[in-house]
Amino acid sequence: MLNVVIFGAPGSGKGTQSENLIKKYNLAHISTGDVLRSEMKNGTKLGKLAEDYISKGQLVPDDVIIGMLADVLETKKGSNGVIFDGFPRTLAQGEALDQMLSEKGQSVSTVISLEVDEPELIDRLLKRGQQSGRSDDNLETIKSRLDVYNNQTSPLKEYYKTSGKLASIKGVGTVDEIFGRISEVIDNLK
Ligand code: ADP
């Protein structure tokens, strides 16, 4: 089982590279952001709760996200492996993921961290906002998402570095160049 965490700031290219990974390695994809947006679109209780946090650029509370992730993970049983996109985003989520996988006799195989500097991230997210119409891709919300990333999410890098799982990848260049760097890491996993 290949369990890949694709990690990085908002706008670092996690979704784009996940699409490539799914095709090349035949993996299931779990994007917590996509799950939440679909819940919002369907007007579910979870969607309504998430909306308040997402529109402010804040994280949805850990207990809600961890429960949701556990449910979605159940539906991916029997796959070749999973790409975790947008999860974990806090240390508590990272520990919960380790726990969930170990209960299945599995573990995180690698954490691909896409490194992109802040001005480039802001530029990409503003451009995406013009096309996607995502309500959180406006300058004010982008700035709080970047703060949240720096304060709550990036400490996970140390967590995965300690366990020898962190692979830092330069996230600038063409999509194909970046995917080449990611594939090299995955192909070299033992
Ligand atoms: P991006 O990486 O561009 O911020 P996502 O689609 O991954 O986009 O996430 C959008 C929003 O959904 C986040 O800003 C956050 O509010 C919420 N969200 C997604 N994943 C998580 C998570 N693992 N924990 C808490 N909130 C989350």
Side-chain angles (χ1 to χ4, degrees), residues 9-11 14 32-34 36-37 53-54 57-60 65 86-89 93 125 128 134 136 145:
K14 300 185 297 284
T32 44
D34 286 351
L36 292 170
R37 278 185 290 277
Y53 295 95
I54 293 182
Q58 294 167 1
L59 295 182
V60 176
I65 289 287
F87 182 96
R89 256 179 156 96
Q93 292 179 18
L125 290 166
R128 185 172 77 185
R134 254 176 69 167
D136 57 348
R145 283 154 68 204

Side-chain angles (χ1 to χ4, degrees), residues 8-15 31-37 40 50-62 64-66 68-69 85-90 93 125 128 134 136-137 141 144-146 148-149 152-153:
S12 59
K14 300 185 297 284
S31 158
T32 44
D34 286 351
V35 176
L36 292 170
R37 278 185 290 277
M40 287 182 342
E51 203 149 15
D52 281 342
Y53 295 95
I54 293 182
S55 62
K56 294 186 195 125
Q58 294 167 1
L59 295 182
V60 176
D62 280 336
V64 175
I65 289 287
I66 291 166
M68 180 182 98
L69 198 277
D85 167 4
F87 182 96
R89 256 179 156 96
T90 62
Q93 292 179 18
L125 290 166
R128 185 172 77 185
R134 254 176 69 167
D136 57 348
D137 284 343
T141 311
S144 49
R145 283 154 68 204
L146 290 172
V148 166
Y149 173 77
Q152 293 178 256
T153 306

